[in-house]
Amino acid sequence: MTQTDQKKNIRILHLRSSGGFYGAESVILNLIRQLNGSCSEQHILCLNNTKNPHTELVNKAMEEGLLAGSVDCRGVFDRGAVRSIRAYIIDHKIDILHCHDYKATVFGLIASRGLKLGRVATNHLWDTIDWKLWLYERLEGMLYNFFDRVVCVSEPIAKTVRPFVFNRKKIRVIPNGISMEVFQDKSGRETKRGDWTVGRDDILIGIVGRLVPQKGHRIFLKAFKKVVDGSKNVKCVFIGDGPDRGVIENEIQRSGLSPFVQIAGEQKDMPAVYAALDMLVMPSLEEGLPMVLLEAMSAGLPVVATKVGAIPDVIKDGFNGLLVDPQNVEQLAEAIYRIIDGSGRGQSTVGGQPPDAPLSLSELTTNARQTVELHFSRQRMASEYLNIYKNL
């Protein structure tokens, strides 16, 4: 690299229409934290839905001293938002526009028309929860043809995207990456469990994610009912919020699980959350490559997850976690019991028989940590994105 190249910083603008601080937001921050100062200057710009504002990503970025701002967006075709994005690109001499969702893709593409810059889009997951979103996401797929690179966070997502992109060479698969050491701090365990009135001898299961149907909370409650009937010292906490909250609260009450399950809402100190848990369960019906999964594995938690999205690419059943079929209540309950048995604090009564042999949780969690360290570090993720930026 020449001296001139070293002085040249690539200016990258990450554009996101955020609905809260979830997996994609965490990916963006991890990428920026790793790349800042590595021949690049990273910016965040959020499309702020004035009807349902979410400023969590911008706030967190600004707290860390990162370059971040927001643009008010009052509708699907807000010309003012387009003009603001374009002005930001021009004023800050942006070299690469990196869009992170369907709305960002539409607005970013229109705002950057005629400008000489590279265009990258990352597909974190298409959440087909209603016909309108389904339509928007298919529109995004067609617009990918006007981007220089299309990044998918897992091979299953790439498989969904490929039919829309005429030049398949544009598509790259870059798995999400995290900073492992952040999630290995156990100092907040007792404080957080105290906040949730969880006893020292209770086994605490956690589900982390938005309260939406595709995360499978209601499927979990059916399985958890079987677990509680066999072991009364098991508790569960739902971390997150969302439109399905009322439905889930009613289901908890109807099932008689109120003494055992609580909804803790969104939490800022996720390392303390993982430290407080004894197990993570992901009963999802749809997933990309969930950051929660990688974070929990880094934190040393045994994980039970469904065989959806890229989860089977990360979890090898019986080696670094347990896999079950989606919507299979019996399998989910049995897998949870196997983890409880492996900790020496419970005995399965599902079907009247315990599993053949307890698992070694120490081996399971050691393998999980090593999996993340080898394949899903933020350093590896950032290096692959940086190669894309430089090539553009």
Side-chain angles (χ1 to χ4, degrees):
M1 183 180 290
T2 67
Q3 190 172 8
T4 302
D5 291 333
Q6 288 177 335
K7 291 179 180 179
K8 168 63 176 173
N9 274 346
I10 306 171
R11 298 182 181 92
I12 298 136
L13 174 61
H14 297 270
L15 189 62
R16 170 77 173 166
S17 176
S18 182
F21 195 89
Y22 299 104
E25 286 75 17
S26 182
V27 170
I28 294 168
L29 277 187
N30 276 334
L31 180 58
I32 290 173
R33 288 166 181 150
Q34 187 65 32
L35 286 184
N36 257 349
S38 300
C39 303
S40 69
E41 179 181 292
Q42 307 282 327
H43 299 244
I44 298 175
L45 192 62
C46 281
L47 284 161
N48 184 35
N49 183 350
T50 55
K51 297 178 182 177
N52 184 24
H54 281 280
T55 60
E56 295 91 342
L57 175 58
V58 170
N59 293 344
K60 193 168 182 63
M62 292 179 70
E63 287 173 4
E64 297 185 23
L66 302 175
L67 297 171
S70 62
V71 170
D72 285 343
C73 184
R74 294 174 174 81
V76 179
F77 299 106
D78 187 333
R79 293 181 181 178
V82 170
R83 287 193 294 268
S84 296
I85 296 168
R86 186 178 181 86
Y88 193 101
I89 292 172
I90 294 172
D91 292 345
H92 293 86
K93 298 182 173 67
I94 297 300
D95 299 304
I96 305 286
L97 174 65
H98 191 160
C99 301
H100 289 271
D101 59 84
Y102 76 89
K103 188 179 287 188
T105 296
V106 173
F107 278 73
L109 192 59
I110 296 172
S112 66
R113 69 193 184 282
L115 300 179
K116 293 184 179 180
L117 77 171
R119 294 172 182 86
V120 179
T122 292
N123 190 316
H124 297 272
L125 178 67
W126 276 345
D127 293 320
T128 311
I129 58 178
D130 57 43
W131 69 269
K132 187 181 293 186
L133 191 56
W134 182 91
L135 184 63
Y136 288 154
E137 289 171 343
R138 269 60 196 169
L139 172 62
E140 180 186 19
M142 291 185 285
L143 292 179
Y144 283 159
N145 289 289
F146 299 95
F147 281 74
D148 299 294
R149 295 290 184 273
V150 179
V151 177
C152 302
V153 303
S154 70
E155 181 55 39
I157 291 177
K159 185 177 180 180
T160 304
V161 166
R162 284 191 184 100
F164 295 92
V165 181
F166 299 134
N167 184 357
R168 303 289 176 81
K169 293 180 179 178
K170 290 183 177 183
I171 299 174
R172 300 285 189 274
V173 176
I174 300 180
N176 293 336
I178 67 168
S179 179
M180 291 187 62
E181 60 273 7
V182 174
F183 301 101
Q184 294 174 357
D185 181 5
K186 301 296 183 181
S187 60
R189 177 177 173 84
E190 297 305 324
T191 300
K192 186 60 71 174
R193 287 171 74 95
D195 292 343
W196 297 332
T197 62
V198 176
R200 183 179 293 272
D201 295 327
D202 287 334
I203 300 167
L204 183 59
I205 299 172
I207 296 183
V208 181
R210 294 185 66 212
L211 303 184
V212 291
Q214 61 264 41
K215 293 299 182 181
H217 293 85
R218 297 176 71 186
I219 300 295
F220 168 80
L221 289 173
K222 294 178 181 179
F224 189 62
K225 177 69 173 175
K226 298 176 179 291
V227 174
V228 167
D229 289 343
S231 179
K232 296 296 183 183
N233 69 324
V234 178
K235 302 289 192 300
C236 180
V237 60
F238 291 170
I239 307 298
D241 214 333
D244 228 25
R245 180 164 185 155
V247 175
I248 293 172
E249 287 175 337
N250 290 337
E251 186 69 21
I252 292 171
Q253 293 178 355
R254 190 191 65 79
S255 303
L257 292 173
S258 296
F260 304 96
V261 181
Q262 61 179 296
I263 300 177
E266 295 181 5
Q267 301 285 310
K268 292 184 177 180
D269 189 357
M270 287 307 298
V273 168
Y274 293 123
L277 301 178
D278 297 302
M279 180 193 320
L280 182 85
V281 176
M282 298 192 69
S284 305
L285 310 182
E286 296 177 357
E287 283 291 353
L289 175 54
M291 295 294 284
V292 167
L293 175 65
L294 304 180
E295 291 168 358
M297 292 169 69
S298 294
L301 287 177
V303 175
V304 175
T306 48
K307 303 172 187 175
V308 298
I311 291 177
D313 296 334
V314 181
I315 296 290
K316 305 304 177 187
D317 190 34
F319 173 74
N320 56 4
L322 298 182
L323 291 176
V324 299
D325 294 325
Q327 302 191 64
N328 191 315
V329 174
E330 293 293 333
Q331 279 188 16
L332 185 57
E334 190 63 56
I336 293 170
Y337 263 119
R338 289 175 65 191
I339 296 295
I340 294 173
D341 285 344
S343 68
R345 292 182 290 182
Q347 197 62 246
S348 172
T349 57
V350 176
Q353 296 293 328
D356 294 336
L359 295 172
S360 167
L361 290 193
S362 61
E363 291 180 355
L364 201 73
T365 55
T366 296
N367 292 339
R369 284 196 189 100
Q370 290 177 349
T371 298
V372 177
E373 184 176 6
L374 289 173
H375 304 291
F376 302 100
S377 69
R378 84 177 189 187
Q379 290 87 351
R380 189 268 320 146
M381 174 186 70
S383 175
E384 294 188 39
Y385 272 109
L386 185 58
N387 284 335
I388 288 177
Y389 298 149
K390 286 182 176 180
N391 289 334
L392 293 180

